[in-house]
């Protein structure tokens, strides 16, 4: 047992090394956010930058906008992803073309997704041209408002294309396995297919589903490229706002950017604790255990 | 039941693993931070103790080396640079310029001075960050030699002592061919240059319209607004802080406020807000007629340019005064693309090359910069890249003048003398970020209704 523990630590070592670099950067950032940058002869520790940056209405708007995009894209991805799983649970493998449809989006980088979303949805894009060809005179008006809109529709759409396959990929095998055993048991006891799926299979896969939800949520919350390319000029996502603050030509403004980074970190940490509470709390499984028994 | 137990066990195992892993990370970080602190403490201790001789002697060395470079004649610089490598850090987004540097400039340096050019494409923000980090780490031998820089970034670099200088007095080509009394050579966005950077190229903000959609180019802000009203959704500009979008807004400001007013303006948000109020009023009037009704703006100049090339917009804008010709020749722009400027003129600026303070090859950098200022290089740059040269025309001999005059900027452009006659000065560097901030607060998505 002890030897295996040692082995596990060894196996974790590369990851650990990366984490150390990562954490060092984060800690440096947090410290700079407190106004401590000796190279620029700033040596007074202060919370002012954290306080001022969060009081700025634009920062608040950015945080809310990022939370909205993260929430909308992860909830929709999970719902649609689970529905797709439902369509294919009774087959041993999903068909080849579905497999391709799922694998391709996962390997395509976000920046490429952004480019083709622009190609398709912009006012001179493929969709507008198609609509025009089949007789819509106002094709440009129809597609206008899908990109660069203050609700972030284009951004969310692009995330859906990337993340729905991720949900399917992440959850499908477990779902199919559980559905094949306990889900079928429920069906023999009189539940229909959908009932068995929703009331038996999904609750049992709760942890995996919540985990994938969490991964998508955290990623989209802190992501930069899609909101920057497909999003509106205002509100900016919090990552965009932070980057712009970071590129301010006056280096004395650096602590503001770092304080905004600090807020991203703090919010993410809070979210992580919240999700950990949901994912790992024991109560519901006991309850269900009781029902089963 | 068994499955559930398994899952439960698996989860507890996972939590345990996670916890042990997290604690590992935590301990590691603690150790690391501890190390950093103790080594930092050690450093200060040694420098206050007798151990100070080490670091101070190094400093003296560094200084005397700088003094040496400053004392050398140009021939001695050439000798010191022989066989060395010079790095050139700067924005790498202009592919034509990159190719020119690799295929014309670098071979010339190699042949004439046996200097190898190492071109490193890097955004100026990142260059400044790296210099600031190196300074923080006390690094006296950095990898950065030459830096492509201007404007507020030059101001930042000078304020933080990132640049080496003054060095331009030592360059023969600077003395022979550059007009030192030209305000554009004395001040960079209002910041005194004092020999800390040498001119590299001249840029001038221009608008490029598609004649098919714009029979008469707008001659001022009012006509621009009228065009937008008559052709809703056909024009827009890149969202600030994009370099070009920011220049467009400053040009609009100059349509309403005399450029001279800004030269001594205090870099205070409220002062600037009041001074530019009429221009922002205008921009809010313009908003409803812009692309996407001014709710959103293209993220940057390349995106605006793409939309112009796609025919989605009737207008694009650029700091490259002769870009229209390149666009037409490449087939990216319609044949009907035509450059225009406002009657009051448009903003022009010069961009520069500086030398990092912790550069290890200052002699090589100075020789390379001198070569960049040679009539041959400036002519080649003008011919191939259509960059406005930085040399003083009167200082050139007749043959050289004729060679420069013979260059045809190409279709769709305005002649160089017309541009230079209608050239407005840049605003002081410290006002630019304030204007960019105010634009986000007071213009995007807003109207005067």
């Amino acid at each position: 047992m002890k030897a295996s523990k040692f082995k596990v630590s060894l196996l974790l070592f590369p990851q650990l090394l990366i984490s150390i670099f990562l954490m060092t950067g984060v800690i440096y950032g947090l410290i700079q956010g407190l106004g401590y940058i000796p190279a620029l002869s700033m040596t007074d520790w202060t919370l002012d930058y954290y306080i001022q940056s969060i009081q700025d209405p634009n920062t608040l708007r950015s945080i809310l906008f990022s939370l909205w995009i993260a929430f909308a894209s992860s909830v929709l991805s999970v719902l649609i992803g689970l529905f797709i799983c439902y369509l294919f649970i009774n087959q041993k493998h999903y068909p080849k073309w579905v497999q391709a449809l799922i694998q391709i989006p996962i390997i395509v980088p976000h920046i490429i997704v952004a480019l083709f979303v622009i190609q398709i949805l912009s006012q001179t894009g493929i969709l507008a041209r198609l609509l025009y060809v089949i007789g819509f005179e106002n094709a440009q008006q129809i597609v206008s408002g899908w990109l660069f809109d203050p609700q972030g529709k284009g951004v969310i759409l692009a995330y859906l294309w990337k993340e729905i396959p991720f949900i399917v990929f992440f959850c499908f095998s477990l779902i199919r396995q559980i559905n094949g055993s306990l889900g079928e048991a429920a069906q023999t006891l009189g539940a229909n297919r959908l009932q068995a799926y929703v009331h038996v299979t999904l609750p049992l896969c709760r942890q995996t589903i919540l985990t994938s939800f969490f991964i998508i949520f955290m990623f989209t919350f802190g992501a930069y490229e899609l909101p920057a390319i497909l999003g509106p000029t205002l509100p900016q996502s919090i990552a965009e706002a932070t980057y712009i603050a970071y590129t301010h030509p006056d280096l004395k403004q650096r602590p503001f950017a770092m304080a905004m980074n600090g807020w991203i970190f703090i919010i993410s940490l809070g979210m992580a604790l919240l999700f950990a509470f949901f994912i790992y709390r024991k109560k519901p499984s006991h309850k269900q255990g009781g029902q089963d028994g | 039941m068994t499955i559930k137990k398994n899952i439960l066990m698996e989860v507890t195992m996972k939590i345990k693993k996670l916890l042990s892993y997290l604690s590992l990370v935590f301990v590691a970080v603690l150790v690391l931070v501890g190390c950093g602190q103790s080594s930092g403490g050690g450093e200060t201790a040694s420098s206050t103790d007798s151990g100070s001789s080490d670091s101070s002697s190094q400093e003296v060395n560094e200084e005397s080396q700088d003094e040496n470079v400053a004392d050398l004649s140009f021939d001695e610089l050439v000798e010191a640079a022989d066989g060395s490598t010079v790095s050139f850090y700067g924005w790498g987004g202009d592919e034509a310029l990159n190719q020119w540097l690799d295929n014309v400039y670098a071979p010339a340096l190699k042949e004439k001075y046996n200097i190898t050019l190492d071109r490193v494409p890097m955004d100026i923000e990142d260059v400044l960050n790296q210099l600031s980090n190196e300074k923080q780490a006390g690094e006296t031998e950095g990898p950065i030699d030459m830096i492509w820089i201007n404007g507020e970034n030059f101001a930042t670099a000078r304020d933080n002592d990132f640049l080496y200088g003054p060095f331009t007095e030592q360059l023969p080509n600077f003395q022979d061919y550059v007009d030192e009394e030209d305000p554009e050579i004395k001040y960079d966005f209002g910041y005194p240059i004092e020999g800390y950077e040498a001119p590299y190229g001249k840029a001038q903000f221009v608008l490029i319209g598609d004649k098919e959609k714009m029979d008469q180019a707008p001659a001022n802000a009012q006509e621009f607004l009228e065009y937008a009203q008559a052709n809703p959704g056909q024009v827009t500009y890149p969202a600030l802080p994009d370099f070009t979008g920011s220049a467009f807004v400053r040009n609009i400001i100059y349509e309403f406020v005399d450029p001279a007013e800004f030269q001594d303006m205090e870099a205070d948000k409220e002062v600037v807000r009041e001074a530019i109020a009429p221009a922002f009023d205008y921009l809010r009037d313009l908003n409803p007629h812009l692309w996407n009704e001014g709710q959103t703006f293209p993220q940057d100049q390349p995106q605006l340019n793409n939309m112009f090339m796609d025919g989605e917009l009737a207008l694009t804008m650029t700091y490259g005064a002769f870009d229209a010709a390149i666009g037409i020749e490449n087939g990216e722009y319609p044949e009907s693309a035509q450059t225009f400027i406002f009657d009051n003129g448009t903003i022009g600026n010069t961009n520069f090359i500086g030398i990092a303070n912790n550069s290890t090859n200052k002699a090589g950098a100075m020789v390379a910069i001198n070569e960049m200022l040679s009539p041959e290089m400036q002519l080649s740059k003008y011919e191939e890249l259509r960059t406005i040269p930085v040399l003083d025309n009167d200082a050139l001999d007749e043959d050289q003048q004729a060679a420069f005059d013979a260059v045809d900027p190409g279709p769709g452009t305005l002649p160089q003398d017309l541009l230079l006659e209608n050239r407005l000065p840049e605003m002081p560097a410290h006002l630019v970020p304030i204007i960019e901030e105010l634009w986000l607060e007071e213009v995007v998505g807003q109207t005067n209704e």
Side-chain angles (χ1 to χ4, degrees):
Chain A
M1 190 67 186
K2 269 192 182 158
S4 81
K5 244 188 191 170
F6 178 69
K7 242 190 202 163
V8 168
S9 315
L10 259 188
L11 287 173
L12 277 174
F13 188 70
Q15 167 71 21
L16 192 68
L17 214 62
I18 295 171
S19 299
I20 288 175
F21 280 118
L22 200 74
M23 286 309 293
T24 323
V26 170
I27 289 169
Y28 263 119
L30 291 176
I31 289 174
Q32 291 196 346
L34 294 169
Y36 184 76
I37 311 181
L40 308 176
S41 42
M42 303 170 82
T43 49
D44 296 326
W45 299 85
T46 168
L47 276 174
D48 286 357
Y49 298 109
Y50 277 88
I51 295 168
Q52 280 178 31
S53 62
I54 199 73
Q55 279 174 346
D56 182 351
N58 271 333
T59 314
L60 266 179
R61 248 174 103 191
S62 295
I63 289 175
L64 289 177
F65 184 59
S66 281
L67 283 174
W68 154 247
I69 287 186
F71 184 75
S73 23
S74 43
V75 167
L76 287 175
S77 304
V78 168
L79 289 180
I80 299 172
L82 291 180
F83 178 71
I84 292 176
C85 288
Y86 174 69
L87 295 181
F88 294 106
I89 34 175
N90 287 332
Q91 300 173 18
K92 261 222 166 81
H93 298 284
Y94 28 68
K96 273 258 157 44
W97 61 272
V98 179
Q99 210 168 342
L101 272 185
I102 285 168
Q103 279 166 352
I104 290 171
I106 289 178
I107 56 171
V108 174
H110 281 85
I111 193 104
I112 307 292
V113 178
L115 290 181
F116 79 64
V117 167
I118 287 184
Q119 291 298 325
I120 294 171
L121 287 183
S122 78
Q123 286 182 37
T124 48
I126 296 169
L127 186 64
R129 285 169 206 267
L130 275 178
L131 286 175
Y132 188 78
V133 167
I134 58 174
F136 287 91
E137 289 289 329
N138 58 344
Q140 290 207 348
Q141 266 80 52
I142 295 175
V143 297
S144 85
W146 275 93
L147 287 183
F148 318 117
D149 63 306
Q151 293 87 37
K153 287 196 286 276
V155 184
I156 294 169
L157 215 69
Y159 274 131
L160 288 184
W161 192 81
K162 268 293 282 179
E163 312 307 352
I164 290 171
F166 173 76
I167 294 279
V168 176
F169 179 80
F170 200 85
C171 304
F172 184 71
S173 50
L174 181 72
I175 285 180
R176 202 190 49 213
Q177 186 197 337
I178 290 194
N179 194 68
S181 49
L182 290 174
E184 253 167 42
Q187 283 185 48
T188 55
L189 292 175
N192 66 28
R193 236 183 101 204
L194 189 64
Q195 279 173 329
Y197 185 65
V198 174
H199 293 295
V200 178
T201 308
L202 291 188
L204 286 174
C205 303
R206 194 172 141 272
Q207 261 154 16
T208 308
I209 296 168
L210 278 178
T211 307
S212 57
F213 174 84
F214 173 61
I215 292 173
I216 295 176
F217 188 92
M218 292 324 296
F219 180 82
T220 43
F221 175 67
Y224 170 82
E225 62 267 62
L226 286 193
I229 300 174
L230 303 176
T233 308
L234 276 182
Q236 296 157 332
S237 75
I238 183 66
E240 269 179 282
T242 305
Y243 180 72
I244 288 180
Y246 181 73
T247 55
H248 196 292
D250 181 3
L251 289 179
K252 297 259 165 63
Q253 302 287 317
R254 178 58 45 82
F256 277 107
M258 288 308 172
M260 286 164 81
N261 258 330
W263 283 114
I264 297 182
F265 180 70
I266 291 166
I267 293 170
S268 305
L269 204 66
M271 288 290 169
L273 291 175
L274 198 71
F275 278 113
F277 173 74
F278 273 117
I279 292 174
Y280 295 124
R281 80 180 160 167
K282 285 183 176 165
K283 248 184 169 176
S285 27
H286 272 307
K287 226 169 153 189
Q288 278 167 10
Q291 279 170 351
D292 273 5
Chain B
M1 204 58 201
T2 48
I3 293 175
K4 191 160 295 166
K5 256 188 191 165
N6 279 341
I7 293 176
L8 250 176
M9 268 177 62
E10 207 177 299
V11 169
T12 42
M13 280 294 289
K14 266 188 193 163
I15 297 177
K16 271 185 190 164
K17 269 187 202 168
L18 196 75
L19 281 179
S20 59
Y21 167 63
L22 279 179
S23 60
L24 253 175
V25 171
F26 187 58
V27 168
V29 167
L30 274 186
V31 169
L32 202 84
V33 170
C35 280
Q37 270 176 350
S38 67
S39 73
E43 226 170 75
T44 47
S46 72
S47 63
T48 47
D49 289 352
S50 57
S52 64
S53 60
D54 195 51
S55 62
S56 63
S57 71
Q58 205 182 349
E59 247 168 56
V60 170
N61 256 340
E62 179 69 19
E63 263 169 35
S64 62
Q65 201 184 12
D66 281 3
E67 269 169 34
N68 281 342
V69 178
D71 289 340
L72 295 179
S73 72
F74 187 70
D75 288 337
E76 287 166 327
L77 286 174
V78 169
E79 202 174 310
D82 185 25
S84 67
T85 297
V86 173
S87 68
F88 187 11
Y89 280 63
W91 186 62
D94 182 346
E95 204 38 52
L97 174 63
N98 294 342
Q99 296 211 353
W100 182 83
L101 287 170
D102 292 344
N103 300 332
V104 179
Y105 179 59
L109 284 180
K110 188 82 201 168
E111 193 180 321
K112 269 173 108 164
Y113 303 109
N114 191 23
I115 292 175
T116 309
L117 183 76
D118 177 20
R119 182 176 62 78
V120 184
M122 189 187 269
D123 286 355
I124 184 67
E125 293 94 12
D126 297 325
V127 174
L128 292 181
N129 278 326
Q130 186 170 332
L131 288 173
S132 133
N133 289 340
E134 283 170 10
K135 196 179 167 197
Q136 181 155 6
E139 182 65 73
T140 52
E141 299 189 350
I144 302 175
D145 298 321
M146 293 155 69
I147 308 165
W148 184 12
I149 193 168
N150 82 339
E152 61 259 46
N153 296 307
F154 176 67
T156 299
R158 283 289 288 131
D159 285 346
N160 290 289
D161 207 16
F162 293 160
L163 294 181
Y164 169 75
F167 67 89
T168 49
E169 283 303 313
Q170 283 169 266
L171 310 181
N173 284 338
F174 184 85
Q175 293 194 317
D176 291 349
Y177 299 117
V178 176
D179 178 8
E180 291 174 56
E181 292 310 307
D182 180 356
E184 272 190 53
I185 302 297
K186 282 172 97 169
Y187 299 97
D188 183 357
F189 282 58
Y191 200 101
I193 290 170
E194 293 167 345
Y196 279 82
E197 55 180 7
Y200 178 33
K202 274 187 182 176
Q204 183 154 352
F205 180 80
V206 294
L207 298 151
I208 300 174
D210 184 347
K211 274 188 290 190
E212 300 261 299
K213 299 176 182 167
M214 207 180 256
D215 337 316
Q216 181 127 38
N220 52 44
Q222 187 52 39
E223 287 185 28
F224 190 81
L225 175 62
E226 283 161 15
Y227 175 81
Q229 281 167 336
N231 303 274
Q234 284 293 313
V235 294
T236 188
Y237 52 95
L240 282 58
D242 176 78
F243 200 61
T244 310
S246 184
F248 175 77
V249 168
R250 291 200 295 279
N251 258 295
I252 292 293
I253 292 172
Y254 282 172
E255 289 280 299
F256 293 89
V257 191
D258 182 5
E261 272 193 42
F262 294 97
Q263 294 309 317
D264 299 311
M265 188 175 285
E266 190 192 346
D268 177 84
K269 201 166 173 180
E270 293 315 309
V271 175
V272 177
R273 192 198 301 269
E274 203 169 309
I276 63 177
F280 274 21
D281 227 33
Y282 166 88
L283 288 175
R284 282 189 296 268
D285 278 336
L286 186 62
N287 265 349
H289 315 294
L290 294 180
W291 174 80
N292 245 344
E293 288 159 13
Q295 291 293 322
T296 56
F297 293 80
Q299 194 209 356
D300 50 22
Q301 196 269 346
Q303 193 184 339
L304 178 87
N305 211 30
N306 275 336
M307 283 159 50
F308 175 70
M309 296 190 296
D310 280 350
E312 189 167 347
L313 294 175
L315 175 99
T316 183
M317 53 192 72
T318 169
Y319 254 119
F322 304 126
D323 279 2
I326 297 170
I328 292 173
E329 283 165 19
N330 290 346
E332 292 165 346
Y333 286 176
E335 297 278 337
S336 48
Q338 173 60 45
T339 307
F340 68 97
I341 57 178
F342 289 156
D343 286 350
N344 282 346
T346 53
I347 293 178
N349 66 43
T350 305
N351 49 82
F352 298 84
I353 304 176
I355 301 175
N357 211 356
N358 64 358
S359 151
T360 50
N361 188 8
K362 298 190 178 86
M366 284 158 76
V367 173
I369 292 172
N370 185 66
E371 181 60 21
M372 189 66 90
L373 288 170
S374 67
E376 300 82 58
M377 283 299 129
Q378 287 289 320
L379 177 64
S380 165
K381 224 172 146 221
Y382 185 33
E383 279 172 346
E384 294 195 22
L385 304 173
R386 323 274 161 88
T387 316
I388 307 177
V390 295
L391 305 184
D392 178 11
N393 210 32
D394 298 334
L396 301 170
D397 65 35
E398 272 179 28
D399 288 350
Q400 288 167 332
Q401 282 187 17
F404 276 94
D405 287 343
V407 177
D408 172 21
T413 58
L414 296 175
Q416 196 194 146
D417 44 352
L418 181 84
L419 289 171
L420 294 180
E421 276 162 24
N422 292 285
R423 199 166 159 88
L424 299 174
E426 277 291 0
M427 269 185 208
H430 294 299
L431 300 182
V432 174
I434 297 180
I435 292 172
E436 289 165 357
E437 235 174 86
L438 285 169
W439 181 82
L440 278 177
E441 287 170 21
E442 300 193 347
V443 177
V444 184
Q446 298 184 30
T447 59
N448 286 324
E449 287 315 301

